Amino acid sequence: MPALRTALLQSSGELGDVAANLKILDEAAARAAAAGAGLLLAPELFLTGYAIGADLARLAEPADGPSARAVAAIAVRHGLAVGYGYPERDTERHGVLYNSAQLIGADGVPLARYRKTHLFGDFELEWFTPGDRAVVQAEIDGLTVGMMICYDVEFPENVRAHALAGTDLLLVPTALMHPAEIVPLSVVPVRAFENQLFIAYANRAGTEGAFEFVGLSTLAGPDGTARARAGRGEDLVLGDADPDLLAASRAENPYLRDRRPGLYGPLV
């Protein structure tokens, strides 16, 4: 099975300008596809911007809204899957917003939608309702692809749940801020190693209001190394989620096989 070349878009886009951010996404998809990528991942809340306060409610859309249709057109035009973050309006519960991520296939068909389960800080707690589904998965080119958002990956139980469910590549659109550089530099590679999967971690960059995003987007492998890593500024980096490497690493590192779940009950 061939490797899935994965592109990480590191950008904060234009605050509050969905049309401009869709254009940025389209241009990144063109560049990623030209480099052989089969998947492009954009950061948390990429379509609207993160630090936009009350505009989150104004710009939020349902999962099948006009922006989702625009992203589907981008995916089809460039022939690659696209994952991205956006504020989701619940069409059944008035006023309820989720910090969501969606994955759309190269054929324009939605593959997975995830609602952030662990909200970070007063800003997110004020505006969003936490999701209640930990493991969301889809399949791309024979790989089982899972989704979560930013802070979620910092909880070992979350990533382990994906590992036990068979996730091969975990997509993590994120909005990580200073001084938490330890997350992309250390935590994400360790999560990939201890759970024997790939993690694609796509961050925002630059300053938005009171938030300073640190960049350092990373594709971490099951061997605990960064297969690709961005710097601090706007960037597009590519790396391969290689199923052969994954199989070899899993054979050598039997963490999941050697678990003793009977001992862990008190943890939860």
Side-chain angles (χ1 to χ4, degrees):
M1 191 166 61
L4 176 61
R5 180 150 293 177
T6 302
L8 308 179
L9 173 60
Q10 181 166 288
S11 173
S12 288
E14 299 291 336
L15 289 182
D17 192 336
V18 175
N21 293 329
L22 285 168
K23 186 174 185 294
I24 293 169
L25 190 65
D26 189 25
E27 293 169 348
R31 292 166 55 201
L39 170 64
L40 170 66
L41 180 64
E44 181 177 4
L45 294 175
F46 180 73
L47 291 189
T48 60
Y50 186 90
I52 60 173
D55 277 348
L56 283 170
R58 180 177 64 85
L59 295 175
E61 297 181 20
D64 59 354
S67 291
R69 295 191 291 273
V71 175
I74 290 171
V76 170
R77 182 159 51 250
H78 301 293
L80 79 175
V82 179
Y84 64 97
Y86 69 106
E88 180 193 350
R89 179 184 299 115
D90 191 324
T91 56
E92 298 180 356
R93 300 169 63 196
H94 180 70
V96 172
L97 302 181
Y98 297 99
N99 184 339
S100 293
Q102 186 152 226
L103 177 63
I104 294 179
D107 58 359
V109 175
L111 298 177
R113 181 189 69 197
Y114 174 79
R115 294 167 170 172
K116 190 173 185 178
T117 55
H118 296 76
L119 301 178
F120 178 80
D122 293 339
F123 173 75
E124 291 187 20
L125 290 168
E126 177 182 358
W127 289 104
F128 296 113
T129 296
D132 57 8
R133 186 177 173 192
V135 177
V136 172
Q137 295 171 311
E139 185 172 309
I140 299 177
D141 294 347
L143 288 177
T144 299
V145 178
M147 302 191 80
M148 60 178 56
I149 299 173
C150 197
Y151 194 39
D152 292 325
V153 80
E154 297 176 40
F155 292 81
E157 301 89 343
N158 261 16
V159 186
R160 181 50 54 90
H162 270 275
L164 294 175
T167 294
D168 300 312
L169 169 62
L170 183 59
L171 307 183
V172 188
T174 190
L176 184 81
M177 308 155 196
H178 178 77
E181 287 88 342
I182 190 174
V183 177
L185 293 176
S186 298
V187 173
V188 168
V190 168
R191 289 282 177 274
F193 179 69
E194 68 191 3
N195 290 287
Q196 289 300 295
L197 42 68
F198 286 94
I199 299 179
Y201 186 86
N203 197 17
R204 304 178 71 83
T207 301
E208 297 177 27
F211 304 111
E212 180 188 350
F213 300 107
V214 303
L216 301 173
S217 297
T218 303
L219 177 66
D223 56 357
T225 67
R227 318 297 294 184
R229 176 171 285 145
R232 299 282 184 145
E234 302 271 323
D235 208 344
L236 181 73
V237 296
L238 295 98
D240 291 337
D242 184 349
D244 291 338
L245 171 65
L246 186 60
S249 185
R250 285 173 171 172
E252 294 177 4
N253 298 284
Y255 290 130
L256 299 183
R257 187 179 69 234
D258 290 346
R259 293 170 64 248
R260 296 181 61 194
L263 299 178
Y264 311 145
L267 293 176
V268 294

